[in-house]
Amino acid sequence: MQTIGEYCFSTMNCDIDAENFPVRAEQLRARLRSYPLMLVSQVVMALLLCGLMWDKVSHSVLLGWLAVLYVIHLIETYYWLRYREATRTVAECKSWRRRFIVFVIMVGLAWGSVGLLLFVVDDLAYQALLIFVMLGM
């Protein structure tokens, strides 16, 4: 019997094997090349969001959320700096695929928590700001 994760991954048909390795390896290299721009945009957007919410949301909540997001990105950056050239074999590409899945889930949970942690009751403008940011991320 498959776990939920195994079922989801098997239905997405994203496995890396010898047959599709050249294409998958190039896709990974493209993702790795775009990583610095993605990181800068998320760091700036998170900081901007905290600045805009500073007068409406508890500072400890804002700084805690920002710290969690930045720690996730620091860990991701460590792996990117250390292993960004590791796309030469099927095993290396599979390892990157697993890392991407983990980091996408972690960053997605952090950004998704914005809707709960930074929600401003009775202020439609700030609610619209949250919707705008969350749709953009």
Side-chain angles (χ1 to χ4, degrees):
M1 174 170 240
Q2 290 182 321
T3 66
I4 292 172
E6 290 170 338
Y7 174 76
C8 290
F9 294 136
S10 69
T11 59
M12 286 192 286
N13 196 19
C14 296
D15 200 24
I16 301 169
D17 55 30
E19 183 179 323
N20 65 13
F21 170 70
V23 172
R24 296 286 188 216
E26 188 53 41
Q27 288 172 335
L28 285 170
R29 285 190 284 274
R31 165 58 167 87
L32 291 167
R33 282 191 302 270
S34 70
Y35 174 77
L37 179 61
M38 181 275 309
L39 178 67
V40 169
S41 68
Q42 285 205 17
V43 166
V44 169
M45 182 60 75
L47 197 56
L48 180 62
L49 178 62
C50 286
L52 291 170
M53 297 296 229
W54 194 254
D55 293 333
K56 294 289 187 175
V57 177
S58 162
H59 296 173
S60 60
V61 170
L62 287 169
L63 295 174
W65 174 79
L66 192 63
V68 167
L69 185 67
Y70 282 6
V71 165
I72 293 168
H73 283 313
L74 280 173
I75 295 167
E76 191 175 22
T77 300
Y78 166 79
Y79 280 101
W80 179 77
L81 289 170
R82 183 155 183 195
Y83 300 110
R84 67 180 172 234
E85 300 298 324
T87 57
R88 292 180 214 81
T89 67
V90 171
E92 287 176 338
C93 289
K94 284 184 176 189
S95 183
W96 264 118
R97 179 177 173 262
R98 282 188 297 276
R99 284 185 201 113
F100 285 147
I101 290 168
V102 168
F103 288 126
V104 163
I105 290 169
M106 290 170 46
V107 171
L109 287 172
W111 278 105
S113 71
V114 164
L116 296 172
L117 297 174
L118 308 186
F119 187 80
V120 179
V121 180
D122 298 330
D123 196 325
L124 191 57
Y126 283 91
Q127 293 170 8
L129 172 66
L130 279 182
I131 291 170
F132 175 75
V133 169
M134 290 178 74
L135 288 175
M137 296 315 288

